Amino acid sequence: QVQLQESGPGLVKPSETLSLTCTVSGDSISNYYWTWIRQPPGKGLECIGYIYYSGFTNYNPSLKSRVTISVDTSKNQLSLKLSSVTAADTAVYYCARSNRGWFDTWGQGTLVTVSS
Amino acid sequence: QSVLTQPPSVSGAPGQRLTISCTGSSSNIGAGYDVNWYQQLPGTAPKLLIYANSIRPSGVPDRFSGSKSGTSASLAITGLQAEDEADYFCQSYDSSLSGYVFGSGTKVTVL
């Protein structure tokens, strides 16, 4: 059974770069697309972007200038970097497996707070 | 502002039938892209509830059903139970944004 686990700092200072890692276990990262999704406290879900193991990426236009998603097939991990963060980037960040347009497996999520 | 519009909240008594609407446009649902539904229990990650408009993943009770017509989709819950109290989100693909989009979310309250 595939499992996803997000990890990274829970607190990031304004203007700095948010960096998260998602470790995939129970399946090869080469078999699917993988997506980062975030949810500000008390609000809805927003797709940040997704990646295929080949390195093909697609980013949300509203975040595209600040986002980088990468994959490390040797570690079965994907990573998220979001630069120049502000308080508006405070959210629970999820990684999820994309299966032909739907997200069938999610990590538990990690709360990232942007504050000085 | 979400691309897909859902009612903020719906409520019903145990045993009742509820429906949640998800309204899109010609660049997402109306363009023929699948609609998927997720259930998010308090403090947990979303869980896939319905995919490809009307298919239930293994383990999802048949009390949950999905449908799609035109630029809208619906999630129905029959025989409402206390454990169904959660937030529900629809999701699709939008060709003008070239990416996946979610609905604004609906909070279901069991009276």
Side-chain angles (χ1 to χ4, degrees), chain A residues 39 50 58 94 101-103 106-107, chain B residues 36 38 40 45-46 51 91 98:
Chain A
Q39 184 174 34
Y50 58 85
N58 179 282
Y94 298 99
W102 53 87
F103 309 114
W106 296 63
Chain B
N36 312 298
Y38 302 86
Q40 186 175 33
Y51 67 94
Q91 173 255 318
S98 298

Side-chain angles (χ1 to χ4, degrees), chain A:
Chain A
Q1 180 180 344
V2 60
Q3 291 185 315
L4 286 66
Q5 179 68 58
E6 304 89 349
S7 59
L11 181 64
V12 181
K13 290 182 169 55
S15 81
E16 295 190 344
T17 297
L18 177 160
S19 295
L20 296 175
T21 297
C22 174
T23 301
V24 179
S25 58
D27 191 10
S28 171
I29 204 166
S30 302
N31 293 339
Y32 294 91
Y33 285 80
W34 304 88
T35 302
W36 284 98
I37 296 163
R38 70 179 183 178
Q39 184 174 34
K43 296 188 178 180
L45 300 163
E46 178 181 40
C47 183
I48 299 170
Y50 58 85
I51 189 167
Y52 193 53
Y53 79 97
S54 62
F56 170 81
T57 55
N58 179 282
Y59 300 136
N60 185 322
S62 68
L63 299 169
K64 190 173 184 176
S65 63
R66 300 194 290 131
V67 173
T68 301
I69 297 175
S70 59
V71 63
D72 186 333
T73 54
S74 66
K75 296 181 179 179
N76 231 34
Q77 292 178 334
L78 61 152
S79 298
L80 168 70
K81 292 189 185 300
L82 182 64
S83 63
S84 305
V85 297
T86 69
D89 295 311
T90 293
V92 175
Y93 286 76
Y94 298 99
C95 57
R97 188 175 75 173
S98 307
N99 188 348
R100 288 176 289 174
W102 53 87
F103 309 114
D104 64 359
T105 308
W106 296 63
Q108 65 183 25
T110 186
L111 174 63
V112 178
T113 301
V114 178
S115 175
S116 55

Side-chain angles (χ1 to χ4, degrees), chain B residues 43-95:
Chain B
T44 69
K47 167 193 163 186
L48 181 64
L49 196 65
I50 297 285
Y51 67 94
N53 307 313
S54 60
I55 303 174
R56 282 178 286 104
S58 173
V60 173
D62 59 7
R63 302 184 291 103
F64 295 94
S65 62
S67 63
K68 173 187 153 182
S69 178
T71 58
S72 296
S74 292
L75 173 71
I77 310 174
T78 58
L80 190 66
Q81 298 183 5
E83 65 202 53
D84 299 332
E85 196 160 276
D87 293 323
Y88 293 82
F89 296 91
C90 60
Q91 173 255 318
S92 186
Y93 180 85
D94 191 284
S95 58

Side-chain angles (χ1 to χ4, degrees), chain B residues 26-41:
Chain B
S26 58
S27 62
N28 41 68
I29 299 175
Y33 295 108
D34 285 338
V35 177
N36 312 298
W37 291 90
Y38 302 86
Q39 177 193 58
Q40 186 175 33
L41 298 170

